[in-house]
Amino acid sequence: MKKTIARSVLAVLALSVATAASAQVKPEDQIKFRQAGYRFMSWNMGKIKGNLEGTYNKDQVAAAANAIAGIANSGMGALYGPGTDKAIGSVKTRVKPEFFKEGENVGKLAREFNAAAGDLAKVAAGGDAAAVKTAFGKLGESCKACHDKYREED
Amino acid sequence: MKKTIARSVLAVLALSVATAASAQVKPEDQIKFRQAGYRFMSWNMGKIKGNLEGTYNKDQVAAAANAIAGIANSGMGALYGPGTDKAIGSVKTRVKPEFFKEGENVGKLAREFNAAAGDLAKVAAGGDAAAVKTAFGKLGESCKACHDKYREED
């Protein structure tokens, strides 16, 4: 019970932080910033994949995982503010309308993604390639869970 | 002397990691990835600035600083591979030709930037706003040092 209350308080705090942060950023910039975050994560996911399939470089994997964890846990929810649900001029977005209507599920997926990114960074610091492979797979699944439901196909 | 040799070995290692990583990524994608990294860092710099000028939220600042440090230290040098010195089709770049000719100075600026980003993340975790302000200022200076010398004006 205490845990539930604490979690609710945290959720409310997270939301107010998100609101304060998004208030200062124009909707078109919010879209650009969130896309930049995903794009930079995808480069780092690619590097980790390359390491798992080829020669494993512990430092490169750890650095890539840190970048992903840092981005994932930076409060990207603030980049989905009002007006960012559709294209603004030449700034396109592939986010589906459902994303903005299913806050509870989106929040759940986001928390799973953040946790998976944090886990990967922890495991990558240890340098055990097999453990990294497992954590990387879990992170990939959490990306896919959101993409499948809330991202338009190319 | 030992230190100098160790540093040279590290530099060579860093270069080979960079080469291996950039070999897998198309030049136009290297440009897009590096721009994504800088853009996402700029969002987080903006958040920290907002916190320092307004209400200070320790968690938001720490998260923003972690994102910046993760990106800065992810091996972005690999995103300046051959063919990324000028526009590729619609993918523009503001990097100046000198960037690719002055490796030693670029390396020095990059190391200063990476260190400043790491320092800010450490200080931000502590939550002392005055210390964060100093570390943030130093990071800003290290961004500017490179922009002034190697980035075309808008």
Side-chain angles (χ1 to χ4, degrees):
Chain A
M1 184 59 185
K2 259 193 188 162
K3 218 169 189 180
T4 310
I5 294 174
R7 207 167 281 171
S8 305
V9 171
L10 275 178
V12 170
L13 282 176
L15 194 67
S16 45
V17 170
T19 309
S22 67
Q24 300 154 7
V25 179
K26 283 191 294 183
E28 54 269 45
D29 289 335
Q30 289 180 42
I31 296 176
K32 284 186 194 175
F33 284 140
R34 73 194 187 205
Q35 289 173 345
Y38 295 123
R39 176 170 281 167
F40 203 77
M41 285 194 282
S42 81
W43 175 52
N44 286 284
M45 291 294 281
K47 281 190 287 182
I48 297 173
K49 189 167 179 281
N51 271 273
L52 289 170
E53 291 170 354
T55 309
Y56 193 85
N57 180 299
K58 184 197 157 187
D59 292 338
Q60 193 185 53
V61 172
N66 274 339
I68 294 167
I71 294 169
N73 290 287
S74 66
M76 291 186 76
L79 299 174
Y80 291 88
T84 68
D85 55 330
K86 47 177 82 87
I88 302 172
S90 63
V91 181
K92 313 280 185 212
T93 174
R94 289 160 69 188
V95 70
K96 288 184 183 170
E98 295 91 304
F99 181 94
F100 297 90
K101 291 172 196 153
E102 300 175 7
E104 200 168 325
N105 192 45
V106 168
K108 182 179 161 284
L109 293 179
R111 283 189 298 275
E112 285 168 2
F113 168 63
N114 294 350
D119 281 347
L120 177 61
K122 261 181 225 147
V123 170
D128 176 348
V132 166
K133 195 174 179 179
T134 304
F136 181 71
K138 281 188 190 158
L139 178 58
E141 279 166 27
S142 79
C143 295
K144 192 175 179 301
C146 194
H147 292 173
D148 284 352
K149 210 158 163 56
Y150 298 114
R151 190 175 71 163
E152 297 284 359
E153 292 300 310
D154 254 329
Chain B
M1 182 61 185
K2 259 193 187 160
K3 219 169 187 178
T4 311
I5 294 173
R7 208 167 281 171
S8 306
V9 171
L10 275 179
V12 170
L13 282 176
L15 194 67
S16 44
V17 170
T19 309
S22 68
Q24 300 154 9
V25 179
K26 285 191 293 183
E28 54 269 45
D29 290 334
Q30 289 180 43
I31 295 176
K32 285 186 195 175
F33 284 139
R34 74 195 187 203
Q35 289 173 344
Y38 295 123
R39 177 169 281 168
F40 202 77
M41 285 194 282
S42 80
W43 175 52
N44 286 284
M45 292 293 282
K47 280 189 289 182
I48 296 173
K49 189 167 180 281
N51 272 273
L52 288 170
E53 291 172 353
T55 309
Y56 193 84
N57 180 300
K58 184 198 157 186
D59 292 338
Q60 191 185 55
V61 171
N66 274 339
I68 294 167
I71 294 170
N73 290 286
S74 66
M76 291 186 76
L79 298 174
Y80 290 88
T84 69
D85 55 330
K86 48 176 80 88
I88 303 172
S90 64
V91 181
K92 312 281 185 214
T93 174
R94 288 161 69 188
V95 70
K96 288 185 184 171
E98 295 90 305
F99 181 94
F100 297 90
K101 291 172 195 151
E102 300 175 5
E104 201 169 324
N105 191 46
V106 169
K108 181 179 161 284
L109 293 179
R111 283 189 297 276
E112 285 168 3
F113 168 63
N114 294 350
D119 281 348
L120 176 62
K122 259 180 227 149
V123 170
D128 176 348
V132 166
K133 193 174 181 179
T134 304
F136 181 71
K138 282 190 189 158
L139 178 59
E141 279 167 27
S142 78
C143 295
K144 191 175 180 301
C146 194
H147 291 174
D148 284 353
K149 210 159 162 56
Y150 298 114
R151 190 175 71 161
E152 297 284 0
E153 294 299 312
D154 254 328

